[in-house]
């Protein structure tokens, strides 16, 4: 609900206009310093960011709004954000666009959170926001900069580290290596932040706002996990489709492909589906007996049979293909388990329980063993799913 309540149009317009003016100033500064190839690259980047901001401003001005329901009118003076890692994908203007992990796209929910944090930071002198997360930094050091932008912008400004490039120069070291291409075929050179510089100074600054508890301090009781990796061979159809994805990717990289027709996001999305099951791309393709789905069904049923006496339960995490009309992996797994002899009422989807009351009832069934197999996505079932005693 919080995300649906907008800040006043005037405030957001002023914020966007200020960003545009700062970019224009940066552009003029670069133009005055000469027109080398690096400068031309920076100017092009600034132009792209300006267009993005101008489009956002136009969309805001065109959208009808109810001035009586605005964030500033609610009297909010403190903001608690649980699972704060969901807001890490915050746009940062940078000349280091070739460095992986630096977000150069604008996600609506993160920019909305950033604007609300800016408002509360001004109102409370940076004492009105509490972020809680188990993973403040999981993939890239850029995430730490993002957390600092939300929680201590004035501190960054006073240290001259408000701009990402300045922060990265002070605290980061890049390394270039070869990685598998997103379309799944061949390798590409990729530059990432590999190490932190001046780590004690960085952590001293971050700890001004961060209360860090490590696993050993919390003494968390976690079960011993046995990891079994199953390798499933791809089919001839999958090989052919991966080749097609690679060819499409090459055409996009060479330019001249309209993004509305084909783009890298579409290719990586199709690649993920293809990696799970070829029928997600084309339901008419054969159901390969050695596919990931069939391997999963076989293993789940084996455990189900072995643990009948104790009514042990299993969770299946599946992040592609939600239950619904047409072919989907959820229903396919369920149908096959039923065919093998699992009772239909012993299988549930997390989607069957959309509210907290229904969720509690479903979790109780899993704990008691009346539901033996629960299937859901990481987003819906990864955090706060307490189904074991």
């Amino acid at each position: 609900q919080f995300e649906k309540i907008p800040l006043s149009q005037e405030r957001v317009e002023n914020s966007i206009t200020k960003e545009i003016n700062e970019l224009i100033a940066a552009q003029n500064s670069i133009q005055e310093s000469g027109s080398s190839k690096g400068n031309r690259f920076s100017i092009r980047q600034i132009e792209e960011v300006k267009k993005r901001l101008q489009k956002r401003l136009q969309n805001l001005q065109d959208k009808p709004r109810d001035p009586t329901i605005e964030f500033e009118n609610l009297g909010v003076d403190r903001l608690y954000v649980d699972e704060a890692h969901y807001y890490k994908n915050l746009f940062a203007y940078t000349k280091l666009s070739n460095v992986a992990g630096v977000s150069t796209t604008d996600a609506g929910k993160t920019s909305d959170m950033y604007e609300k944090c800016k408002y509360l930071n001004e109102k409370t002198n940076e004492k009105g926001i509490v972020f809680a997360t188990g993973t403040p930094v999981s993939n890239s050091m850029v995430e730490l900069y993002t957390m600092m932008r939300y929680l201590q912008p004035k501190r960054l400004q006073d240290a001259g580290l408000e701009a990402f490039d300045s922060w990265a120069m002070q605290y980061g070291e890049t390394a270039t290596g070869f990685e598998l291409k997103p379309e799944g075929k061949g390798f590409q050179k990729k530059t990432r932040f590999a190490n932190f510089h001046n780590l004690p100074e960085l952590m001293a600054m971050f700890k001004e706002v961060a209360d860090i508890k490590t696993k050993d301090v919390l003494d968390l009781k976690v079960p011993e996990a046995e990891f079994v990796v199953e390798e499933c061979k791809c089919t001839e159809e999958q090989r052919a489709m991966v080749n097609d994805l690679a060819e499409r990717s090459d055409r996009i990289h060479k330019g001249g492909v309209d993004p509305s027709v084909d783009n890298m996001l579409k290719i990586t999305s199709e690649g993920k589906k293809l990696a799970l099951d070829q029928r997600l791309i084309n339901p008419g393709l054969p159901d390969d007996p050695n596919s990931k789905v069939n391997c999963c069904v076989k293993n789940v049923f084996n455990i189900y049979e072995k643990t009948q006496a104790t009514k042990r339960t299993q969770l299946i995490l599946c992040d592609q293909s939600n239950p619904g009309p047409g072919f989907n992996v959820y229903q396919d797994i369920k149908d096959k388990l039923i065919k093998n002899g699992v009772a239909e009422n012993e299988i549930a989807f997390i989607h069957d329980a959309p509210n907290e009351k229904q969720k509690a009832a479903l979790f109780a069934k899993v704990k008691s063993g009346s539901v033996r197999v629960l299937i859901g996505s990481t987003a819906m079932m990864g955090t706060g799913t307490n189904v074991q005693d």
Side-chain angles (χ1 to χ4, degrees), residues 338-356:
I338 292 169
K339 197 174 173 184
N340 280 340
V342 181
E344 185 172 358
N345 64 348
E346 291 183 308
I347 306 164
F349 301 152
I350 193 71
H351 310 71
D352 298 337
N355 64 48
E356 290 306 314

Side-chain angles (χ1 to χ4, degrees), residues 24-42:
I24 290 168
Q27 195 173 19
N28 292 338
S29 169
I30 289 168
Q31 284 170 335
E32 284 167 14
S33 67
S35 58
S36 67
K37 188 179 176 184
N39 285 343
R40 285 199 299 274
F41 178 67
S42 296

Side-chain angles (χ1 to χ4, degrees), residues 348-350 352-353 358-367 371 374:
F349 301 152
I350 193 71
D352 298 337
Q358 290 168 317
K359 211 172 271 184
L362 173 60
F363 288 176
K365 286 181 181 176
V366 181
K367 285 182 179 183
V371 166
L374 179 60

Side-chain angles (χ1 to χ4, degrees), residues 168-226:
M169 196 180 295
Q170 181 77 7
Y171 298 121
E173 182 183 308
T174 59
T176 303
F178 284 95
E179 295 181 6
L180 190 67
K181 286 183 178 177
E183 62 270 21
K185 192 164 187 208
F187 289 84
Q188 63 183 2
K189 266 187 172 182
K190 203 76 177 173
T191 304
R192 290 187 181 275
F193 283 105
N195 298 301
F196 282 109
H197 275 320
N198 304 321
L199 190 57
E201 292 82 357
L202 174 60
M203 290 315 295
M205 187 190 290
F206 187 51
K207 280 182 178 179
E208 290 172 17
V209 294
D211 179 21
I212 300 167
K213 301 292 182 193
T214 54
K215 190 167 72 171
D216 54 316
V217 171
L218 293 170
D219 190 28
L220 293 173
K221 299 290 183 287
V222 291
E224 286 293 318
E226 180 192 355

Side-chain angles (χ1 to χ4, degrees), residues 294 296-302 304-305 333-343:
N294 287 319
C296 173
V297 169
K298 182 183 75 178
N299 287 343
V300 169
F301 184 69
N302 284 343
Y304 171 87
E305 275 198 311
I333 290 172
K334 183 175 179 177
D335 291 344
K336 284 169 177 169
L337 287 172
I338 292 169
K339 197 174 173 184
N340 280 340
V342 181

